[in-house]
Amino acid sequence: MVTPSRITLARKRRGLTLADLSARAGVSLQSLSNYETGRTAPRPSTVRRLADALDFPERFFSGPDIDELPAEGISWRARTKTPPRVLDSARAAGTLAAQLYEWIDERFRLPEPDLPSLGKPDPETAAEMVRTRWGLGTAPAPNMVHLLEAHGVRVFSLPPDSLEVDAFAVWRGTVPFVFLNMLKTVERGRFDAAHELGHLIMHGSGERPCTGPGAERQANDFASAFLMPAASVLGHMPAGARVDQVLEGKRIWKVSAMALTYRMHDLGLLTDWQYRSTCAELSARGYRTDEPQGLKKRETSQILTKVFQGLWSKGIRPGDVADQLGVRAEEVAEMLFGLSMETVTGEEEGAGEHQAKRSLSLVR
Amino acid sequence: MTVLPVAVPEPDGYRTQLAALGTKLEYLHPALRAGEVARRSATRNHPANTAGTRAYQEHVRIIREMHIRHEGWKRLLHDHLELVCNPDRTVAFGVMSGDGATGERTFPPRNARRRGAATKRVAEDNAAQLELFPLHRGNEVVLSSEEAGHLQVWFLVSRRIEAGDKVYVHNELSLPAEVVDGYVSEWKRRILLPVFEMDGIEPPHEDGGGEIDIPVPFR
């Protein structure tokens, strides 16, 4: 028996319209539409054609109904021009990751969600309150992925075909999810993680809208304040700092040079004129889009690493997990921060970096 | 956070003297800062004089921009000197790097690098002028043939000293009176300005960014 919602999910995951899939699988548009609405069921030979066209194992389509991630509650960190098709694909990838999470949650005890819901305070205050609650004081933030995971956020990586999406976050019931793009600089990855944390905390209760320019600005201000607490920046950075001092200072908080420059202006350490000239200089040196000589070690999931190590010790291979979820092994691998299936077999820390690179080479 | 006014002793009341020339410290120090920033864009693979050249170029650009934008001055290329000139055409500013005496009350500074004939000529004109403040001649119509003779060409003389992570730029706005063999040997007037400081970074001492260990036990 075929589950209609699974056809839709697989199609969205591949970024296909009904017409695309109809052409690709050689199934009429009308029939396809009927399969997805559940009005009629496809024959086994048709299921095979759909599975081939969608590059999903046949058994995927016969699993139980899947709850898609709620479309409304998602705060996208992506260009406003990003086509809905791309967002749908990323959301479908998130839905599959949530399936993986449920599978893991049945077998492992994971940290309980510990995020305050701060619908009212301004971003700077909200960031300070979270820091206090998590006992961070004004010290530079540690590994952001680990920090989120330790407080109950389920963090997964976005598949490489969702490049146009930087990150997104969503509450699924009482469980917060964050999805991060793997191809940004390490510094920007940290900022994205803090940005999504801001959404979860400030926009989760529905008191404020979670999308739109206002919400994005609030999340950016939150990330800026969370990663670079005012007291810390004012304590370490000189007023009117030169570009080379910004480049040195950004290492303290592990942020991009642009982010620190913005923060310093925000805190009055750079005048408007100094801010503009610093931005121009950084831009000329390539810091607007990249982070020359930036951090090399990508922040990856600690929970997923430990989960797959634990499974391996019991003789359960990543491929087995993918089998049970009814998806290809690659589909699962893409959610795991490029911790390739071999990496999660046993090697401890440190494997993340070059493995991340290796899996990046698989892309496209 | 409120900013409290702090009383800083002003050497020779430089603010009044600058105001008499139609300028202020807020126009001059940004030029020094821009010079410092530009200086640092030079890498080891650039030609040896790159840092100094870039600093000079920014000094000229910013000192011009500030006076053009805020005081209605005009860019002036006078006898090969890159200057900015007030609307009365009585005062012009250029830049120059000085030696260790820059900004020091006790000794007159010399320019760090030999200057050309144009500097010598403006110094002679500076010296020949009566001790008149240009502001007093504000409404006077000055004839252009004599204008050059009346034009006072002041220089923002700067000398940078690196100490650890900090940079101190000693500086003054001064009017050369005599140039001998390419070096200013006598100043008609000097307005000593506060040292322009660029602080270093305070290194962190917190144990931030520590490792987090998340237990992930089987159920």
Side-chain angles (χ1 to χ4, degrees), chain A residues 143-150 155 180 193 299-302 337:
Chain A
N143 182 313
M144 281 302 295
V145 177
H146 296 181
L147 185 66
L148 292 181
E149 289 185 321
V155 190
L180 299 172
E299 297 188 341
T300 62
S301 166
Q302 184 177 137
F337 290 90

Side-chain angles (χ1 to χ4, degrees), chain A residues 109-330:
Chain A
R109 258 202 304 281
L110 303 180
E112 290 296 319
D114 173 30
L115 304 194
S117 177
L118 304 170
K120 293 220 161 54
D122 63 280
E124 181 93 28
T125 309
E128 233 170 85
M129 288 167 80
V130 177
R131 275 187 156 269
T132 306
R133 176 159 172 162
W134 290 358
L136 293 174
T138 56
N143 182 313
M144 281 302 295
V145 177
H146 296 181
L147 185 66
L148 292 181
E149 289 185 321
H151 293 92
V153 182
R154 316 307 178 201
V155 190
F156 295 93
S157 57
L158 280 167
D161 54 22
S162 297
L163 271 187
E164 287 171 75
V165 177
D166 290 340
F168 70 94
V170 65
W171 282 94
R172 189 167 182 265
T174 56
V175 182
F177 283 85
V178 164
F179 300 89
L180 299 172
N181 185 321
M182 292 284 293
L183 295 185
K184 313 230 346 218
T185 63
V186 178
E187 289 84 350
R188 271 156 224 257
R190 279 171 64 80
F191 197 90
D192 285 350
H195 174 105
E196 295 308 328
L197 175 63
H199 277 306
L200 290 172
I201 282 175
M202 297 186 296
H203 305 129
S205 62
E207 284 172 80
R208 284 189 274 219
C210 73
T211 53
E216 286 307 291
R217 199 166 45 245
Q218 285 160 0
N220 277 339
D221 289 350
F222 178 94
S224 187
F226 189 84
L227 292 172
M228 298 166 278
S232 182
V233 175
L234 290 168
H236 295 303
M237 296 303 290
R242 306 175 307 253
V243 170
D244 60 318
Q245 292 178 315
V246 171
L247 294 182
E248 196 184 324
K250 71 171 188 151
R251 291 169 209 272
I252 298 175
W253 299 279
K254 300 194 177 90
V255 292
S256 70
M258 283 293 185
L260 178 56
T261 304
Y262 179 90
R263 183 65 168 152
M264 288 180 67
H265 179 232
D266 196 34
L267 294 171
L269 287 175
L270 295 176
T271 64
D272 292 351
W273 184 82
Q274 289 166 345
Y275 173 65
R276 278 197 305 276
S277 64
T278 305
C279 285
E281 172 70 18
L282 287 173
S283 212
R285 294 203 210 171
Y287 282 90
R288 188 169 288 285
T289 50
D290 199 4
E291 208 62 33
Q293 280 121 49
L295 295 170
K296 297 281 182 292
K297 193 172 190 303
R298 182 163 295 283
E299 297 188 341
T300 62
S301 166
Q302 184 177 137
I303 286 183
L304 294 171
T305 308
K306 287 184 174 174
V307 160
F308 280 92
Q309 281 167 359
L311 291 172
W312 188 274
S313 72
K314 300 212 162 180
I316 301 168
R317 303 291 175 260
D320 304 333
V321 180
D323 269 352
Q324 292 189 31
L325 293 172
V327 297
R328 290 185 300 117
E330 295 77 18

